[in-house]
Amino acid sequence: MIARVSLEIALRKEFDYAIPPELAGRVDVGSRVQVPFGARKVLGVVTALAEESAQTKLKPMLKVIGAQTLVTPKVLQLARWIADYYCCAPEIALKSVLPEAVRKEDARWRERLFVRMLPARGELPKLPKRQQEVWTVIEERRELALAELLELTGSTAATVRKLEDRGLVEVAPQITERDPYAREEILPTLPLVLNPAQALALTAIVAAMEGPKAEGRRPKAEGRSQPAETGGPTADRRPPASTFLLHGVTGSGKTEVYLQAIAHALSQGQGAIVLVPEISLTPQTVERFKARFSSGPQKTLVAVLHSHLSAGERHDEWHKIRQGRARIVIGARSAIFAPVEPLGLVIVDEEHEHTYKQEEAPRYHARDVAIVRGQMEGAVVVLGSATPSLESYYNCKQGKYALLDLPERVDNQKLPHVRVVDMRQAARGGKGPPLFSPQLKEAITQRLERKEQTILFLNRRGYSTSLQCPLCGYVAACPNCSLSLTYHRPEQRLRCHLCGHSEPVPAVCPQPKCKNPAIRFAGTGTQKVEETLGKLFPHARVKRMDADVMKRKDDYRKVLGDFRTGKIDILIGTQMIAKGLHFPNVTLVGIIYADLALHQPDFRAGERTFQLLTQVAGRAGRGDIEGEVFVQAFTPFHPAIQYARRHDFVGFYDQELEFREQLKYPPVSRVALLTLKGRNEEKVKFSAEHVRRELDQLVAGRGEKEQGRKGETETSTLFDQISPLPLSPPAPPPVGSPAPFRDLIIAGPAPAPLLRAETFYRYQLMLRTRAMSRLSRALAQITTRLVLPEDVTLTVDIDPVSLS
């Protein structure tokens, strides 16, 4: 037998190796293996088995890693789709589906020594005092870890070994799992009674999971023809959607719908994957899921996968899933590759979040990968959000997803009252804009008096955003990036939040001809908010939650736990506190500067601002007391702020879509962003112009090889469900050359909005088209044959979420 192996080096090729007799029967598709490659030993994954090869004198593989295949055939198929659509080497895509803790050759379970009491063989001999103390504990516990026994008794291993010599105990190694939640005491919960909207949504999801037998009970996606009241036939005979957009206002009970849908999947013998966008969401989310599924008839392990776990914890959690012991997986974007079999349900919570997009190759979007995996495995996919992405809502309008609405909060709770404060008015009477408007200060005072809690949001770390000289105009800038340095007061350092550069704060202006000692800080960060609150409300218990203080894996859990139990009065934070958190005693939310991100050079700036304001506002009023939100803004009448004030997503969508249609931006088209970077700006600019000339050949129909036009591949058909526009059957290519990209719009090359980052200059080209699957293949061909200077690199980002 011959194994075709994809190596962990990006060569865009697979290599054939002979399977030696001693490994026969242990090698299968998805096995991790070690093979010789030149003078090196390289790890790889078996992608196929064959009986013959076009090559002769095949080298034998060296060994198989692990007792079980690590990459399931379905996940292998998904990795190939990612490589094809996101324009990256298949080896890189395949590498991304396994956590590094699992890929390592020496990855294994942890073994610890355990002491076990043996059956009595007669009377217990008289023991010395120390041995008797140890024996008393062993007799009570029957079996326990040696380290725990020594800690309890204050004894030594030698004493235990003497008991072993007497035949009273056995000391032997055992595998012990590293469970990140082992010390948590979680009380079980029961399903809640659903309101009518929740029940309707659950019925639709359950009907989709039950398959064709329930076809008549599934709701039609918005935009499709509905049957007449007389029961007449529909005009649209397509099968019902298996992808749902659960659009529910903040606090509408989306999580309860998720929990009951997962319970149904478990009852059908299927597993579920739940994606959450931020690690800060994970402790609270995991607690709710473990509480529901830790006991009862559907008791199952809930595995957690995210980057704040140790390597050992990630290894153990992943293998619980692969062995089928954990049937529910919760995690960040990479959890979409969890080897759940059979997979019945995928939930993408807060589906609009940009953190679902991977920033390094393969630059996949976990939401879109979830939909494709759902199609490949016949699983139902539920996208949930109070502020859906325009792409997902557009797909509902086009009839590709089914729209499920939760228009009201549970238990008749009211949405918070949102007040917009014009900071231009607040700034007129003083020396400049105050950090807190009089209205927000008064509201905080009232909450402190009533023992209610407050959340203050500012999406900017540090103390001050820049250090400026008022005489000569000098601004302290990062030597590596096109950014000003941020002042961090506790360390008395200036830091770059992009590359990590750090330097001490100068006492005077560094300009040789100036040396002004009155150099001052400008702008505001969360550290300054924390300090100002300490002065205004000295008796308030204030805690800050941002990347500067949340560094250890338990920090999130501790701070959120203290906030829930009322040990914190005011919580200040960046976007990590903006969504998904549920605290009934929070009755006030203050947004310090609402328009921070509104004027960035990105067509999604308004959408992001609307989403962030709506999500942050949704943290208020989740208990019995109505919530209140103060939005401080310098552009208070911007549509994004006004629609967020009214909680009007549909109104925002309608006006934003009109702008996108005029300029052919997503969701009416798709975008590919090509970025060239290098340390010589002129060389990068010249290379970008060269790439533009290559791309112009595509428009003319001369840049794409014939092999790329044999018709849309199977992967393109799969992606039709999440492509905003249907991929129509391609026309046969003209004789001699492929058909031109008639709808391709090329912008650039131009300097990136952030020209220099981490010492590299960057130029960009933006491509817009309706046929992204075809463009991805054409770009893969171009990048393979393109010759660029050694110190200039090109990256291709399909469906980018940021243009910076």
Side-chain angles (χ1 to χ4, degrees):
M1 288 292 288
I2 293 159
R4 194 148 293 149
V5 180
S6 175
L7 306 179
E8 285 192 354
I9 43 180
L11 300 173
R12 292 182 181 268
K13 290 181 181 177
E14 294 179 347
F15 297 86
D16 289 353
Y17 287 89
I19 301 175
E22 62 270 20
L23 297 181
R26 292 184 57 199
V27 179
D28 203 349
V29 174
S31 295
R32 291 268 295 164
V33 294
Q34 186 186 66
V35 295
F37 190 77
R40 293 186 289 166
K41 296 176 181 177
V42 182
L43 296 177
V45 174
V46 176
T47 58
L49 297 175
E51 293 185 358
E52 56 185 35
S53 171
Q55 307 297 322
T56 56
K57 296 183 180 178
L58 295 179
K59 292 181 179 180
M61 63 174 55
L62 301 175
K63 63 178 176 180
V64 178
I65 310 296
Q68 191 178 23
T69 57
L70 298 184
V71 183
T72 65
K74 290 173 182 175
V75 173
L76 179 61
Q77 182 189 7
L78 186 65
R80 284 179 168 146
W81 177 85
I82 288 173
D84 184 51
Y85 182 76
Y86 289 103
C87 203
C88 72
E91 298 88 348
I92 293 175
L94 195 53
K95 196 174 176 180
S96 71
V97 305
L98 286 177
E100 187 180 357
V102 176
R103 287 201 314 269
K104 285 182 180 177
E105 186 181 353
D106 59 350
R108 56 177 55 90
W109 296 92
R110 180 181 64 179
E111 286 190 345
R112 297 173 66 194
L113 288 175
F114 271 71
V115 181
R116 183 171 66 87
M117 179 180 169
L118 294 176
R121 296 179 182 173
E123 259 188 64
L124 181 70
K126 187 172 173 73
L127 299 174
K129 182 182 177 184
R130 296 298 293 162
Q131 292 182 32
Q132 182 63 50
E133 289 173 355
V134 174
W135 172 253
T136 302
V137 175
I138 296 171
E139 196 174 27
E140 181 185 334
R141 298 283 293 273
R142 299 286 172 176
E143 185 177 22
L144 73 164
L146 175 62
E148 186 184 356
L149 175 63
L150 299 182
E151 187 180 344
L152 287 171
T153 61
S155 187
T156 64
T159 304
V160 180
R161 290 293 182 186
K162 287 174 182 175
L163 290 174
E164 186 180 30
D165 293 341
R166 290 175 180 269
L168 298 174
V169 300
E170 178 188 50
V171 181
Q174 285 185 26
I175 289 175
T176 58
E177 293 180 358
R178 291 155 286 199
D179 183 355
Y181 294 87
R183 296 184 179 180
E184 293 288 317
E185 188 175 339
I186 298 174
L187 299 175
T189 62
L190 295 173
L192 304 176
V193 177
L194 303 180
N195 63 31
Q198 288 175 304
L200 192 63
L202 180 64
T203 300
I205 296 166
V206 166
M209 282 194 279
E210 288 180 349
K213 65 182 181 181
E215 182 172 323
R217 291 191 281 123
R218 297 186 200 169
K220 297 293 180 183
E222 184 171 324
R224 293 184 182 171
S225 302
Q226 298 292 328
E229 289 184 2
T230 56
T234 65
D236 189 345
R237 290 290 186 179
R238 285 179 293 173
S242 60
T243 300
F244 295 91
L245 175 62
L246 184 60
H247 177 211
V249 297
T250 55
S252 58
K254 294 185 289 291
T255 305
E256 185 62 30
V257 175
Y258 300 158
L259 289 165
Q260 296 195 26
I262 291 172
H264 182 78
L266 295 176
S267 71
Q268 301 287 307
Q270 299 172 320
I273 296 174
V274 182
L275 300 185
V276 290
E278 296 278 358
I279 295 170
S280 62
L281 291 179
T282 304
Q284 195 174 41
T285 305
V286 170
E287 185 178 306
R288 290 193 68 177
F289 280 79
K290 280 184 175 284
R292 183 63 55 87
F293 298 108
S294 61
S295 62
Q298 293 178 326
K299 181 178 178 180
T300 184
L301 288 176
V302 178
V304 185
L305 294 174
H306 60 73
S307 60
H308 271 219
L309 301 179
S310 68
E313 287 170 343
R314 275 198 295 272
H315 170 276
D316 292 2
E317 293 290 290
W318 192 91
H319 278 283
K320 286 179 199 172
I321 304 162
R322 185 69 186 97
Q323 293 168 359
R325 292 188 291 132
R327 294 163 62 203
I328 301 172
V329 180
I330 302 173
R333 60 176 175 261
S334 61
I336 190 55
F337 303 118
V340 177
E341 286 189 321
L343 181 63
L345 180 65
V346 181
I347 291 166
V348 185
D349 193 29
E350 309 293 1
E351 64 85 25
H352 64 278
E353 271 299 315
H354 66 90
T355 50
Y356 282 126
K357 177 74 170 175
Q358 173 96 342
E359 293 180 357
E360 306 87 29
R363 294 174 172 81
Y364 66 88
H365 197 299
R367 177 196 63 212
D368 297 344
V369 173
I371 293 168
V372 172
R373 183 172 181 184
Q375 275 202 297
M376 286 179 172
E377 301 194 30
V380 171
V381 180
V382 179
L383 313 178
S385 179
T387 54
S389 63
L390 262 67
E391 288 84 350
S392 294
Y393 200 76
Y394 184 82
N395 281 338
C396 288
K397 293 290 186 180
Q398 298 297 306
K400 294 176 183 175
Y401 302 170
L403 180 63
L404 304 172
D405 266 317
L406 302 179
E408 296 176 351
R409 284 188 160 185
V410 294
D411 298 330
N412 298 316
Q413 294 168 355
K414 293 181 180 178
L415 286 167
H417 185 70
V418 181
R419 306 178 191 276
V420 179
V421 180
D422 189 344
M423 294 301 284
R424 297 170 299 178
Q425 301 286 340
R428 284 177 184 169
K431 300 176 182 178
L435 194 53
F436 298 104
S437 62
Q439 298 95 314
L440 181 55
K441 274 195 287 190
E442 177 61 28
I444 295 173
T445 302
Q446 291 174 3
R447 267 54 183 197
L448 290 172
E449 290 172 353
R450 300 201 297 249
K451 307 294 183 188
E452 295 167 7
Q453 291 173 298
T454 299
I455 288 178
L456 296 178
F457 172 80
L458 177 64
N459 205 21
R460 188 178 273 170
R461 292 188 288 135
Y463 187 88
S464 295
T465 49
S466 62
L467 180 67
Q468 300 176 357
C469 176
L471 286 183
C472 70
Y474 165 84
V475 176
C478 176
N480 306 322
C481 311
S482 305
L483 281 177
S484 61
L485 294 171
T486 300
Y487 172 49
H488 287 250
R489 188 159 185 166
E491 309 93 37
Q492 288 294 310
R493 307 278 301 175
L494 296 173
R495 296 189 187 279
C496 174
H497 288 170
L498 190 65
C499 72
H501 170 80
S502 172
E503 59 186 58
V505 179
V508 298
C509 176
Q511 293 285 56
K513 294 182 179 180
C514 182
K515 300 293 182 183
N516 174 26
I519 191 166
R520 65 185 183 207
F521 301 105
T524 297
T526 49
Q527 290 179 2
K528 190 172 185 179
V529 175
E530 184 180 31
E531 182 190 83
T532 307
L533 278 172
K535 293 175 181 176
L536 291 174
F537 308 103
H539 301 297
R541 297 166 296 177
V542 179
K543 193 73 179 177
R544 177 164 53 93
M545 197 168 171
D546 58 30
D548 293 325
V549 290
M550 298 288 110
K551 292 182 177 177
R552 291 181 304 219
K553 65 179 181 181
D554 289 331
D555 286 343
Y556 295 99
R557 198 182 310 172
K558 185 177 185 307
V559 172
L560 295 177
D562 288 348
F563 194 56
R564 183 187 293 108
T565 54
K567 296 177 183 177
I568 299 169
D569 297 318
I570 303 173
L571 183 65
I572 309 159
T574 54
Q575 64 181 0
M576 65 175 62
I577 66 166
K579 56 257 170 200
L581 301 177
H582 178 83
F583 299 108
N585 198 38
V586 173
T587 60
L588 175 66
V589 167
I591 299 169
I592 307 300
Y593 292 136
D595 33 21
L596 267 183
L598 200 50
H599 308 294
Q600 293 180 350
D602 192 323
F603 68 89
R604 288 193 177 95
E607 181 184 2
R608 283 212 194 94
T609 298
F610 171 83
Q611 290 168 341
L612 205 51
L613 297 185
T614 305
Q615 292 286 344
V616 177
R619 300 315 104 203
R622 285 171 167 255
D624 297 331
I625 304 171
E626 187 176 353
E628 193 174 24
V629 180
F630 283 88
V631 178
Q632 300 185 157
F634 290 93
T635 51
F637 299 106
H638 190 282
I641 294 175
Q642 287 299 316
Y643 282 115
R645 180 179 71 84
R646 297 194 295 267
H647 308 282
D648 183 6
F649 170 79
V650 176
F652 175 79
Y653 168 84
D654 289 339
Q655 67 87 34
E656 183 73 9
L657 186 66
E658 187 178 341
F659 145 67
R660 303 278 182 96
E661 285 176 333
Q662 288 174 358
L663 298 176
K664 300 293 187 291
Y665 280 130
V668 296
S669 70
R670 302 189 87 83
V671 168
L673 189 66
L674 277 59
T675 303
L676 294 101
K677 65 179 184 178
R679 290 192 167 90
N680 183 312
E681 185 178 3
E682 286 302 313
K683 203 180 282 189
V684 174
K685 183 180 178 183
F686 174 79
S687 301
E689 290 166 349
H690 173 57
V691 173
R692 171 64 194 249
R693 288 190 290 272
E694 287 282 339
L695 293 172
D696 286 337
Q697 301 296 311
L698 281 180
V699 180
R702 295 191 296 274
E704 185 184 13
K705 290 184 181 179
E706 286 279 354
Q707 63 186 23
R709 284 293 298 165
K710 291 181 181 177
E712 294 291 321
T713 64
E714 180 186 356
T715 55
S716 305
T717 307
L718 280 170
F719 202 67
D720 177 50
Q721 191 186 4
I722 54 175
S723 175
L725 293 164
L727 296 170
S728 55
V735 177
S737 68
F741 277 85
R742 300 193 185 279
D743 74 328
L744 183 62
I745 301 171
I746 306 175
L754 187 65
L755 172 62
R756 195 159 177 252
E758 300 178 84
T759 74
F760 290 96
Y761 291 94
R762 309 183 311 149
Y763 275 69
Q764 293 179 338
L765 296 104
M766 185 167 70
L767 285 66
R768 281 167 279 171
T769 182
R770 299 181 178 195
M772 184 54 76
S773 293
R774 181 186 165 201
L775 178 61
S776 295
R777 291 193 298 278
L779 288 174
Q781 295 171 10
I782 290 172
T783 54
T784 301
R785 67 171 183 263
L786 199 63
V787 179
L788 294 174
E790 285 185 5
D791 52 351
V792 176
T793 59
L794 169 66
T795 60
V796 178
D797 191 357
I798 305 297
D799 300 330
V801 296
S802 172
L803 302 183
S804 60

